[in-house]
């Protein structure tokens, strides 16, 4: 079993205004209850990771709207791969990915030095039997120059983060780094709050929603090819006209008790799920 590796680069540059996951309205998810007491878990199984006692009941309840089984299957995540999770936040997806890759493969959490980093490391340290093989890499911003050795990762994943990168002014630099770290033919999986076409930069920052065409243009500009789209995380109930943007909806409930039942019934945001691929290297003559 590998020992937890902390690959720490330069600190987060405050001049970005905290937009790397600490933008004015970054997902304000409530703190999670302490993990269940240590219990045996079947490594390498997605179903076992989803059902594992290490996940709180609150986090498991979100599976119905975040569809992790279908999402990770769509992105082709499997044991034996080197997977990078960009901006893991509080670790909702890490709870699933770490057991899946624990015995075969590598999970690298590429995180900015923001308000979530300390609690994220505490989560990993509380269960070394589950998270002891996770490698944490602190990303230097705004250049985001490296996520690891070139052509080393099989899959890079990010969940609901593109709006923060756009607001921070380093979205293009980060996409270039993703392109460099992926192997030829590697997959870049992106889930993001889906906004109306034609939104301005100010509207994106204010609401947290991003037009799907804006995300596709950003990523393909870095050299990726859009491989396939999925509607697995679509939510037609989301009217996208909320007083506090996407944070009005669960799990943030930015309005507190005001219209809480209404937004709980509406559910989490409508989301695009996009699978990009780094073109394979041309065959040698």
């Amino acid at each position: 079993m590998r020992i937890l590796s902390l690959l720490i680069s330069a600190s987060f540059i405050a001049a970005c205004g905290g937009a790397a996951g600490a933008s004015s309205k970054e997902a304000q998810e409530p703190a999670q209850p302490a993990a269940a007491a240590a219990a045996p878990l079947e490594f390498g199984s997605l179903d076992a990771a989803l059902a594992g006692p290490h996940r709180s009941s609150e986090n498991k309840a979100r599976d119905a709207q975040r569809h992790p089984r279908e999402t990770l299957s769509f992105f082709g995540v499997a044991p034996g791969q080197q997977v990078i999770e960009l901006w893991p936040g509080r670790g909702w997806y890490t709870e699933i990915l770490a057991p899946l890759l624990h015995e075969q493969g590598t999970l690298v959490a590429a995180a900015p030095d923001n308000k979530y980093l300390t609690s994220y490391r505490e989560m990993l340290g509380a269960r070394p039997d589950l998270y002891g093989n996770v490698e944490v890499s602190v990303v230097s911003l705004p250049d985001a120059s490296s996520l690891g050795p070139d052509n080393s990762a099989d899959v890079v994943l990010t969940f609901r983060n593109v709006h923060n990168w756009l607001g921070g002014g380093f979205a293009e630099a980060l996409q270039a780094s993703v392109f460099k770290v992926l192997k030829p033919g590697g997959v870049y999986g992106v889930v993001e709050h889906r906004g109306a076409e034609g939104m301005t930069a100010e509207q994106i920052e204010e609401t947290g929603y991003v037009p799907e065409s804006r995300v596709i243009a950003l990523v393909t500009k870095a050299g990726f090819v859009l491989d396939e789209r999925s509607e697995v995380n679509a939510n037609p109930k989301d009217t996208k006209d909320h007083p506090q943007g996407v944070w009005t909806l669960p799990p943030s409930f930015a309005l507190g008790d005001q219209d809480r039942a209404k937004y709980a019934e509406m559910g989490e945001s409508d989301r695009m799920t996009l699978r990009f691929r780094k073109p394979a290297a041309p065959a040698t003559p």
Side-chain angles (χ1 to χ4, degrees):
M1 176 176 175
R2 298 189 302 277
I3 299 175
L4 175 64
S5 173
L6 302 178
L7 308 178
I8 301 180
S9 63
S11 298
F12 174 63
I13 298 179
C16 287
S23 64
S24 59
K25 293 183 179 178
E26 185 184 1
Q28 303 159 10
E29 296 190 7
Q32 297 303 316
L41 182 66
E42 180 186 346
F43 293 124
S45 165
L46 180 54
D47 286 341
L50 289 168
H54 65 296
R55 302 184 68 214
S56 68
S57 59
E58 290 82 359
N59 280 357
K60 288 180 179 178
R62 292 179 193 157
D63 291 356
Q65 298 188 62
R66 295 187 173 182
H67 312 99
R69 177 186 288 103
E70 296 84 354
T71 300
L72 294 177
S73 297
F74 175 69
F75 291 145
V77 178
Q81 296 174 329
Q82 173 149 323
V83 177
I84 298 176
E85 184 184 0
L86 283 179
W87 269 238
R90 297 183 187 275
W92 192 90
Y93 256 102
T94 300
E95 286 186 341
I96 302 166
L97 291 167
L100 181 64
L101 301 168
H102 184 85
E103 298 292 346
Q104 298 181 62
T106 304
L107 176 61
V108 178
D113 189 6
N114 67 8
K115 62 183 179 181
Y116 295 134
L117 184 57
T118 297
S119 60
Y120 182 75
R121 282 176 165 161
E122 288 174 350
M123 182 195 85
L124 300 185
R127 290 294 303 268
D129 57 321
L130 295 177
Y131 306 122
N133 291 347
V134 178
E135 300 177 2
V136 178
S137 176
V138 179
V139 181
S140 175
L141 296 171
D143 59 290
S145 58
S146 177
L147 298 174
D150 291 357
N151 306 312
S152 61
D154 296 290
V155 180
V156 176
L157 303 171
T158 193
F159 303 97
R160 309 176 311 281
N161 288 306
V162 177
H163 58 283
N164 290 313
W165 303 341
L166 291 169
F170 51 82
E172 290 191 8
L174 189 54
Q175 305 318 296
S177 293
V178 173
F179 190 85
K180 287 174 60 180
V181 78
L182 271 171
K183 297 174 181 178
V187 167
Y188 182 25
V190 179
V191 176
E192 177 59 300
H193 311 293
R194 178 164 47 198
E197 293 300 322
M199 293 178 70
T200 65
E202 292 75 17
Q203 289 172 325
I204 291 171
E205 184 171 4
E206 178 67 19
T207 68
Y209 289 99
V210 186
E212 188 165 322
S213 63
R214 179 74 176 87
V215 177
I216 293 171
L218 172 71
V219 178
T220 55
K221 184 178 179 180
F224 289 98
V225 174
L226 178 61
D227 195 37
E228 192 170 347
R229 314 181 201 205
S230 172
E231 290 298 297
V232 66
N233 292 304
N235 179 8
K237 293 182 179 180
D238 182 5
T239 59
K240 309 180 186 182
D241 57 356
H242 319 303
Q244 296 294 323
V246 70
W247 303 279
T248 309
L249 299 175
S252 299
F253 289 111
L255 297 181
D257 291 334
Q258 179 183 338
D259 294 325
R260 190 180 184 93
K262 167 188 171 181
Y263 294 118
E265 194 282 330
M266 188 176 292
E268 296 194 23
S269 67
D270 176 47
R271 292 163 186 166
M272 66 189 86
T273 304
L274 306 175
R275 187 176 71 220
F276 298 93
R277 197 174 294 276
K278 180 176 179 177
T284 303

